[in-house]
Amino acid sequence: MRILLDKFSKSFGSTKVIEDMDLEVGSGEMLALLGPSGCGKSTTLFAVCGIHRPTAGRILFGDRDVTNLPSQERNVGVVFQSYALYPHMTVEENIGFPLMVKRVAAADIKKQVADIAALVHIEDLLGRRPAQLSGGQQQRVALARALIRRPDVLLLDEPLANLDAKLRLEMRSEIRRLQKETGITAILVTHDQVEAMSMCDRIAIMKSGEIVQIATPSQMYNDPRTSFVASFLGNPPISLLKGKAEQGAFVLGENGLRLPLAALSGIPDGTALSLGVRPEHFGTAGGVPVEGRVVFAETQGRENLYDVVLPDGSVLRSIQPVRDDVKPGDSVRWNLDSASTFVFAEDGQRL
Amino acid sequence: MAEKPQTSANFSSVPVILLLGLFSLPLLVMYAYLFIDTISDTEVGSLIPSEFTLRHWSFLWETKTGKPNIWLVTLNTFIFASCITGVILTVSSMAGYVLSRLNVPARGFFLAGVMVLHAFPSVTLIIAIFIVLQWIGLYNSLIGVILVKAAIDLPLGIWLMKGFYDTVPWEIEMAGTVDGASRFTVWRRLVLPQIKPAMMALGLFSFLTGWSEFILPQVLAPGAKVQVLSVYLASLIIDDNNFDFGTFKAVGVFYVVPVLILYVFFQKHLMNIYGGGTKG
Ligand SMILES: Nc1ncnc2c1ncn2[C@@H]1O[C@H](COP(=O)(O)OP(=O)(O)OP(=O)(O)O)[C@@H](O)[C@H]1O
Ligand SMILES: [Mg+2]
C-alpha cells in the first residue's frame, strides 16, 4: 500500500523537528530513511504509525487519510530499535499478542504464530522469554510480531543497530527476503549507509528534518545533489577539496592542481568551490596526474586504503587493489579521473 | 536481601557477629521473656518462671466480660487490613499510571499535591475526620475507618507506583498500541505485569500498616463490634479493675504472629519497595 506524507510537519513544543516534508513510498517498495542522529527519522516513522500526531500536514495510506486515526486502527507493523518485546510473555505470546487483542480464537492464533515463526526461523524458541534470547533472535521475534497482523505497512527503526557485524549481514538479506515475499510496503530507518544501499529500493537522505534527496541507491551514489549526500554515501567516504573557479577550471591553492571541468563553464572566476573525489577515482587509472605524499596506509584484505596529502595540505583518499610497494612517507604521482568528480558550490549544492 | 552472605577469605566475620550478637542480646531476651511469660507464672521479684500455665491464653476460648470476642476482633482486623490493601493497590496502580504516563491537565499540581499530602501529619486531621464521619453516619463502622486509613496512606502508594511506572520503557506501550491494543489493555496486559513486584511490595506494606494501625480505629471505631486487635490490646491496659499482665502479653504475641509469618514468607518482596520506588 502506498504511503504519502503531504506537507508533514512535527514540532515538540517550540522545537520544530520536521517542516513541510513530502514523501511518497510506492506500494510494495522498501524505502530507507537515512540520516545522521537527531535529524528526525524516528519522528517521521512514529508519525506514520500514529504514535506522534503531526502538527500539520496529512498522512495517507493508499487513498485513505489516516492523519487523525489512532495507531490501533492503522494496521502498521513496527520493529522498534530496542525491539520492545514484552518481557513477561513467552515468544509465542509476544507474537500472538496483536491477534489476541483482536480476539482471534486461540487455536487460530497458535496456527498463525507457528506459520510466521517458521517464516523467520524461530520455531524452536516459542516457549522462551525474551530475556532468554540472543539479539538476533529477539530481532526475529520482533519482526514476526510486526508481520503477524498482515499489516499494510512495515516500519523498521534501526532494526539491526544492536547486532554484531555477521548477524547484521544475515538479517539484512533476511528482512529483504521477507519484505519481498510478503510484498509489503516498508520504511527502514537507519544511519548506516551500507544497510540503506543494500536493502532498499530507494533511499531518502534526511538532514535536520528535511529530505535532501530521494533516489535509488546507484543514482544517489553516482549523482548526489549536494556535498552532504555525497559525503554520506560511500565507504570509505568521499574526499572534499576546497578550491576556486578559474576560467572554467577547478584550481586548488596557488599554482597547485588545475582541473578543467565542463560543469564550471560560466562560473565567475574566484568562486569558492569544493571538489568531491571518491577514493576509487584516484589511483592508477584516470587522466589527471596528481602529486602528493602518502601519510596513511591501511589494508582491508582485498584492497588498500591510502591517504595522500597534496602540496597545499588537502587530503585525497585512494582505494586500490592490494599492492605493497607504497608505504607511508612515500611521494607518489597518481591519477585522478576528473570525469567522475563532483563539484559543489560553497553552500553544498552540486554544480 | 535474598542472597546468601558472602564469606570473604581475608576477613573473618566472627568478631562482627559476636559484637552484633552482644548488642542485640537485650532485645532477644525481651522477646524471649515476652513469650515465656505468656505460658508461665513467675513469683514476684524472680526471673525464673515457676510453673507452666495456659491461663493467659484463655482469651482464645473464653470471652472476657466486657470485652468483645477475640476471633471477632481478629476478623475485624483482617477485614480492615485487607480492605485497605485492596483500596490502596487499586487506586495507586491506576493513579500512579496516570501521573506517570498520561498528559493530564494540572499533572504537576497533582504530583506536588500527592507529595505534600504524604508529608502531612494525618493525626492533626483526626478531629475533623471524626466530625465528618459522625455527620455522614460512618462513625464506629469499619467502612469509615477503612476509607480514612486508605486515604491517608494513598499518597505514598501513588508516589511509589508512579516511580515504578517511570521505569517501564515507553517502547513497550508504543509497541502495544501499534499492535492494536487499547490504552487500557496496554496498561492491564503489558505495563501492569512489569511492576508486579512493586504491587506485591506495596500490598504487603499496606497490609502490615493496616494490621498495626491504632490511632484511627481507636478514635473512629472503638465500638465492641468493630474493634480491631490494636484497640483490643490497648483496652487491656486501660482496664484497671482486672489488670492481667500475662494476658496482655499473650494478646500481644497473638497480635504479632501473623506479621511475623508474612515477613518470613514475603521478606524478599517487601525489600523491592526500596529497590525501584525511589525514582521519580
Ligand atoms: N518528545 C520529544 N520532545 C522534544 N524533542 C524531541 C522529542 N522527540 C524527539 N525530539 C527531538 O527531535 C529531533 C529528532 O529526533 P528523532 O528521534 O526523530 O531523531 P533520529 O533521526 O531518529 O535520531 P537517531 O538516529 O539518533 O535515532 C531530535 O533533535 C530530538 O531531540
Ligand atoms: Mg531514532
Side-chain angles (χ1 to χ4, degrees):
Chain A
M1 184 169 289
R2 175 191 77 140
I3 307 169
L4 181 72
L5 300 190
D6 178 23
K7 299 249 176 303
F8 160 65
S9 304
K10 177 70 196 174
S11 33
F12 295 103
S14 57
T15 33
K16 289 187 173 144
V17 178
I18 291 178
E19 249 182 299
D20 287 344
M21 178 197 272
D22 291 312
L23 176 68
E24 180 166 6
V25 189
S27 189
E29 184 185 33
M30 183 145 172
L31 178 104
L33 273 185
L34 182 63
S37 189
C39 69
K41 304 182 297 287
S42 302
T43 308
T44 311
L45 207 70
F46 287 157
V48 173
C49 69
I51 290 169
H52 289 334
R53 286 283 154 84
T55 322
R58 295 188 309 156
I59 300 173
L60 279 81
F61 287 1
D63 292 323
R64 195 163 65 119
D65 189 338
V66 296
T67 316
N68 293 313
L69 231 51
S71 335
Q72 287 93 337
E73 288 163 37
R74 289 198 188 185
N75 201 21
V76 287
V78 184
V79 176
F80 292 86
Q81 179 170 355
S82 57
Y83 307 143
L85 299 178
Y86 311 130
H88 59 292
M89 295 184 182
T90 62
V91 167
E92 184 166 11
E93 290 163 338
N94 261 284
I95 301 177
F97 184 78
L99 298 183
M100 197 214 73
V101 292
K102 280 208 295 190
R103 300 189 195 289
V104 176
D108 255 10
I109 297 184
K110 210 170 173 60
K111 196 179 149 298
Q112 293 194 36
V113 168
D115 288 350
I116 203 103
L119 194 66
V120 296
H121 306 311
I122 47 168
E123 306 91 318
D124 316 333
L125 307 173
L126 289 181
R128 300 218 201 151
R129 284 182 199 279
Q132 302 164 325
L133 300 176
S134 76
Q137 290 165 338
Q138 290 184 20
Q139 208 263 341
R140 283 160 206 253
V141 176
L143 201 57
R145 188 182 65 189
L147 287 174
I148 195 159
R149 271 206 312 175
R150 314 208 167 281
D152 301 326
V153 171
L154 178 65
L155 306 176
L156 305 142
D157 191 357
E158 306 196 21
L160 306 178
N162 295 332
L163 305 183
D164 70 53
K166 186 166 167 293
L167 199 57
R168 198 178 298 191
L169 216 66
E170 217 170 273
M171 291 308 298
R172 228 150 69 186
S173 43
E174 194 91 331
I175 290 177
R176 182 61 165 160
R177 172 181 70 86
L178 282 170
Q179 188 262 332
K180 283 223 167 110
E181 250 167 56
T182 48
I184 200 171
T185 309
I187 299 182
L188 171 84
V189 161
T190 178
H191 53 232
D192 180 347
Q193 45 108 5
V194 184
E195 214 168 283
M197 290 178 76
S198 61
M199 287 172 72
C200 296
D201 300 309
R202 284 194 305 157
I203 299 177
I205 290 208
M206 287 182 69
K207 184 188 183 184
S208 35
E210 279 176 27
I211 293 184
V212 188
Q213 187 174 2
I214 305 188
T216 64
S218 61
Q219 271 173 6
M220 182 129 353
Y221 188 78
N222 297 321
D223 187 16
R225 196 174 293 162
T226 69
S227 61
F228 174 78
V229 174
S231 55
F232 213 91
L233 287 191
N235 185 26
I238 198 167
S239 343
L240 288 172
L241 307 178
K242 294 238 173 293
K244 278 203 286 286
E246 211 175 285
Q247 293 155 9
F250 174 85
V251 176
L252 193 66
E254 293 292 311
N255 39 13
L257 179 66
R258 193 182 167 84
L259 268 186
L261 290 169
L264 286 181
S265 58
I267 303 285
D269 285 4
T271 313
L273 298 169
S274 58
L275 181 77
V277 183
R278 293 217 185 266
E280 62 268 31
H281 297 139
F282 176 56
T284 43
V288 184
V290 178
E291 281 184 28
R293 195 165 48 82
V294 175
V295 289
F296 172 81
E298 178 189 89
T299 181
Q300 299 189 333
R302 200 163 7 95
E303 281 147 344
N304 281 4
L305 181 65
Y306 300 103
D307 281 4
V308 178
V309 175
L310 306 191
D312 73 319
S314 45
V315 179
L316 272 181
R317 237 172 254 117
S318 167
I319 192 158
Q320 302 175 22
V322 164
R323 55 192 279 185
D324 36 38
D325 53 335
V326 183
K327 283 183 290 299
D330 291 357
S331 285
V332 291
R333 185 185 166 87
W334 281 340
N335 295 313
L336 198 154
D337 179 6
S338 65
S340 310
T341 58
F342 310 122
V343 200
F344 302 102
E346 207 173 10
D347 63 356
Q349 288 299 318
R350 172 96 176 276
L351 294 177
Chain B
M1 265 197 258
E3 306 101 58
K4 292 220 170 84
Q6 299 247 320
T7 41
S8 156
N10 48 14
F11 177 74
S12 166
S13 50
V14 174
V16 179
I17 290 177
L18 273 182
L19 199 70
L20 290 179
L22 204 68
F23 276 122
S24 348
L25 205 58
L27 213 64
L28 224 66
V29 168
M30 267 162 26
Y31 278 126
Y33 265 97
L34 174 66
F35 182 68
I36 292 170
D37 281 353
T38 65
I39 52 165
S40 61
D41 276 329
T42 313
E43 303 280 322
V44 180
S46 160
L47 273 180
I48 318 295
S50 50
E51 62 172 325
F52 174 79
T53 173
L54 284 178
R55 185 166 59 85
H56 306 306
W57 286 92
S58 65
F59 70 93
L60 285 181
W61 53 84
E62 55 194 36
T63 305
K64 310 244 164 191
T65 45
K67 296 260 180 298
N69 181 298
I70 183 73
W71 296 110
L72 175 71
V73 175
T74 311
L75 181 71
N76 282 341
T77 319
F78 191 76
I79 293 174
F80 178 66
S82 308
C83 289
I84 287 169
T85 309
V87 172
I88 289 183
L89 279 186
T90 316
V91 177
S92 24
S93 65
M94 294 189 181
Y97 181 77
V98 170
L99 286 179
S100 165
R101 286 299 157 90
L102 302 187
N103 235 335
V104 283
R107 184 167 164 272
F109 170 77
F110 277 116
L111 275 178
V114 165
M115 207 55 190
V116 169
L117 279 180
H118 173 44
F120 198 81
S122 51
V123 186
T124 53
L125 291 175
I126 205 153
I127 304 296
I129 293 174
F130 174 82
I131 293 169
V132 171
L133 281 192
Q134 199 151 41
W135 192 59
I136 59 177
L138 285 178
Y139 173 69
N140 232 344
S141 75
L142 268 181
I143 295 186
V145 73
I146 284 170
L147 287 180
V148 172
K149 170 71 177 158
I152 287 174
D153 280 0
L154 263 178
L156 175 69
I158 293 176
W159 191 258
L160 276 173
M161 283 302 113
K162 183 206 166 276
F164 280 104
Y165 279 123
D166 285 344
T167 65
V168 177
W170 264 111
E171 278 81 13
I172 289 192
E173 280 181 67
M174 294 183 180
T177 29
V178 296
D179 279 347
S182 68
R183 201 66 199 257
F184 182 79
T185 311
V186 166
W187 171 72
R188 177 67 199 76
R189 308 296 299 260
L190 302 180
V191 180
L192 206 55
Q194 312 301 322
I195 61 154
K196 223 160 80 188
M199 296 281 288
M200 199 76 186
L202 181 64
L204 269 165
F205 196 75
S206 309
F207 189 87
L208 292 177
T209 51
W211 189 264
S212 55
E213 177 62 36
F214 168 62
I215 281 291
L216 291 175
Q218 166 78 357
V219 178
L220 304 176
K225 284 214 184 85
V226 291
Q227 217 166 67
V228 295
L229 273 169
S230 56
V231 178
Y232 180 88
L233 192 61
S235 74
L236 285 180
I237 331 181
I238 296 166
D239 197 347
D240 288 330
N241 298 333
N242 33 19
F243 184 73
D244 180 353
F245 215 62
T247 302
F248 177 69
K249 285 183 176 179
V251 174
V253 171
F254 179 77
Y255 181 37
V256 89
V257 163
V259 177
L260 289 182
I261 293 176
L262 275 183
Y263 260 112
V264 168
F265 281 104
F266 295 107
Q267 184 208 35
K268 201 175 80 198
H269 299 284
L270 207 56
M271 293 312 256
N272 265 329
I273 216 162
Y274 305 107
T278 43
K279 298 196 192 82

